[in-house]
Amino acid sequence: MVKKIALLEGDGIGPEVTAQAVKILHALAEKFGHQFHFEKALIGAAAIDATSSALPQETVDVCKNADAVFFGAVGDPKYDNDPNAKVRPEQGILGIRKSLQLFANIRPVTTYETLHHLSPLKSKQLEGVDIVILRELTGGIYFGKKQTSADGQSASDECSYNRMEIERIAKLAFAYAQQRKKKLTLVDKANVLDTSRLWRKVVQEMAAIYSDVAVDYMFVDNAAMQLIINPAQFDVILTENMFGDIISDEASVLSGSLGMLPSASIGDSAALFEPIHGSYPQAAGKNIANPTGSILSAAMMLDYFELFKEATLIREAVEWALKNNYVTKDIDSTNYYSTTQIGDIICDFISGKITNARDNREALQNPAVI
Ligand code: IPM
Ligand code: MN
């Protein structure tokens, strides 16, 4: 298979973590006889520095011409505390979501037994936790009309949704539920918001069609609490843009490290894959960031290409690495490996250079390497 992939490394640790995933994709291509061609393009603060726009038109064109977009992270502290900044790195990712119409953000929350001790929750509560969050990504308050009054003393952000926007992602959420534990939870604020009442109405109508899926409805404040007290009750969570942003960060701590989690953003004719973590500027250039979120995002991209065997091999390699304590500093602060070492180890596993010989790798275990 030949695929063209737009590579948007972005800011902070973006270039370091995506480099590991790219290395692994090349190893897989070699093993299975595929060709993955990467074309780099600028986004975020890196693009602002070079072109004064967070999303140059050239980047949009590269993405539109590709079979998929592989994304690192955007964000730079120099913009965070400046409410007057007219251009912001985040405009890059928001702009690409909108221009490719990536309406569904899929965030699987997987827990690994070896990482239970890192979660703020007790190990017992984490048993059986396996959630997929489907977050609407191109509507709602993120993209509604924004206004600041001339005197700068009042501001508003509009939240609006229409039936089509809800139906297309709900359809996907029902399909996910059908392939999993057949449970779907719509998270909204239907006791207060008109938009949420529309979400509920549309999903209730669809629930009658997907009669094999058990649907329940939960207010977002309660959902935030339930995710902590009983996360195992959830299977597929469907929600609007802003609620999804918040609860997916919350849910990510269940897994023990934000660095572990991948995501896919899907539209009718385009798809983008990125770890859910941000640009983590404090770690940039230090070769300590966890590349697993990016590596597992590559697995989600391979699923999208219907290269299921290849995707499974990545997931097996990640699990094998975790089990054998090949982890980065966020997971073990005394015995850890660098970002590039983790990438190399997973490549070696994929190319069959490691069978199960933990011992052969001992020499790599050198915290001083970073
Ligand atoms: C995310 C991020 C983005 C969002 C930011 C960077 C604009 O937090 O992907 O969740 O809010 O959607
Ligand atoms: Mn977020």
Side-chain angles (χ1 to χ4, degrees):
M1 188 179 274
V2 182
K3 291 286 180 195
K4 212 154 65 171
I5 300 162
L7 178 59
L8 313 187
E9 301 170 315
D11 307 320
I13 59 169
E16 298 163 54
V17 295
T18 49
Q20 307 318 307
V22 168
K23 196 158 70 181
I24 289 161
L25 285 164
H26 281 311
L28 277 167
E30 187 158 321
K31 185 179 170 103
F32 290 94
H34 305 306
Q35 284 179 41
F36 299 132
H37 300 293
F38 292 91
E39 189 168 352
K40 283 192 192 184
L42 290 170
I43 196 159
I48 297 175
D49 291 344
T51 70
S52 74
S53 158
L55 182 63
Q57 184 56 41
E58 201 192 319
T59 299
V60 178
D61 295 340
V62 168
C63 293
K64 284 191 171 160
N65 282 322
D67 295 302
V69 181
F70 199 70
F71 182 88
V74 286
D76 189 300
K78 72 182 174 211
Y79 300 94
D80 290 346
N81 294 321
D82 177 7
N84 294 320
K86 287 271 176 292
V87 281
R88 300 182 167 278
E90 288 77 8
Q91 290 162 344
I93 183 66
L94 295 173
I96 205 77
R97 287 172 183 168
K98 197 72 179 175
S99 39
L100 300 182
Q101 272 299 301
L102 305 171
F103 61 82
N105 183 223
I106 299 151
R107 298 187 167 183
V109 180
T110 314
T111 50
Y112 299 91
E113 222 174 295
T114 39
L115 300 185
H116 276 185
H117 65 286
L118 293 174
S119 169
L121 268 64
K122 296 192 186 80
S123 196
K124 211 169 152 345
Q125 279 163 295
L126 295 169
E127 269 164 36
V129 171
D130 177 12
I131 307 171
V132 179
I133 300 177
L134 270 91
R135 166 190 174 194
E136 202 289 327
L137 206 57
T138 48
I141 197 167
Y142 269 60
F143 292 97
K145 195 164 144 203
K146 299 182 186 304
Q147 266 181 318
T148 301
S149 64
D151 66 0
Q153 298 309 299
S154 63
S156 65
D157 297 278
E158 193 177 276
C159 180
S160 86
Y161 271 108
N162 62 42
R163 173 176 284 270
M164 178 277 291
E165 289 174 308
I166 300 167
E167 269 173 5
R168 63 184 178 180
I169 187 170
K171 216 166 128 188
L172 202 61
F174 275 107
Y176 263 85
Q178 281 178 323
Q179 279 165 31
R180 294 171 46 92
K181 289 182 253 165
K182 297 189 166 44
K183 187 174 174 196
L184 176 68
T185 305
L186 175 69
V187 169
D188 64 25
K189 189 74 185 169
N191 50 345
V192 178
L193 303 176
D194 267 12
T195 43
S196 285
R197 286 190 273 270
L198 181 62
W199 273 83
R200 234 178 235 223
K201 192 170 142 203
V202 171
V203 171
Q204 268 167 4
E205 284 171 21
M206 293 174 77
I209 303 163
Y210 294 88
S211 52
D212 53 334
V213 176
V215 184
D216 69 351
Y217 304 88
M218 204 180 267
F219 297 141
V220 63
D221 47 352
N222 183 29
M225 184 175 72
Q226 295 295 332
L227 269 171
I228 302 299
I229 59 180
N230 181 15
Q233 72 183 286
F234 295 105
D235 178 19
V236 176
I237 294 179
L238 168 64
T239 192
E240 59 102 74
N241 204 342
M242 174 86 131
F243 297 156
D245 180 45
I246 298 168
I247 64 162
S248 61
D249 262 31
E250 183 192 4
S252 74
V253 302
L254 302 173
S255 79
S257 172
L258 187 63
M260 297 295 299
L261 298 179
S263 82
S265 301
I266 308 279
D268 282 332
S269 56
L272 177 149
F273 301 86
E274 60 170 316
I276 85 153
H277 62 69
S279 60
Y280 191 15
Q282 302 86 337
K286 294 190 180 154
N287 202 14
I288 54 170
N290 189 345
T292 313
S294 185
I295 293 168
L296 291 173
S297 298
M300 290 187 87
M301 181 168 74
L302 294 171
D303 278 337
Y304 174 74
F305 293 154
E306 297 186 357
L307 295 174
F308 301 117
K309 234 182 356 195
E310 292 80 343
T312 304
L313 189 51
I314 292 192
R315 294 191 179 102
E316 276 169 11
V318 164
E319 273 176 38
W320 172 87
L322 276 177
K323 259 197 210 113
N324 289 286
N325 300 322
Y326 298 121
V327 293
T328 38
K329 200 178 172 185
D330 50 316
I331 291 177
D332 185 340
S333 58
T334 45
N335 281 310
Y336 55 85
Y337 295 79
S338 67
T339 310
T340 43
Q341 283 180 315
I342 296 295
D344 290 343
I345 288 166
I346 290 182
C347 270
D348 287 354
F349 184 93
I350 283 170
S351 337
K353 291 189 192 134
I354 305 171
T355 41
N356 214 4
R358 172 77 180 82
D359 293 343
N360 292 349
R361 296 273 124 185
E362 214 67 64
L364 276 175
Q365 187 158 15
N366 180 6
V369 168
I370 61 129

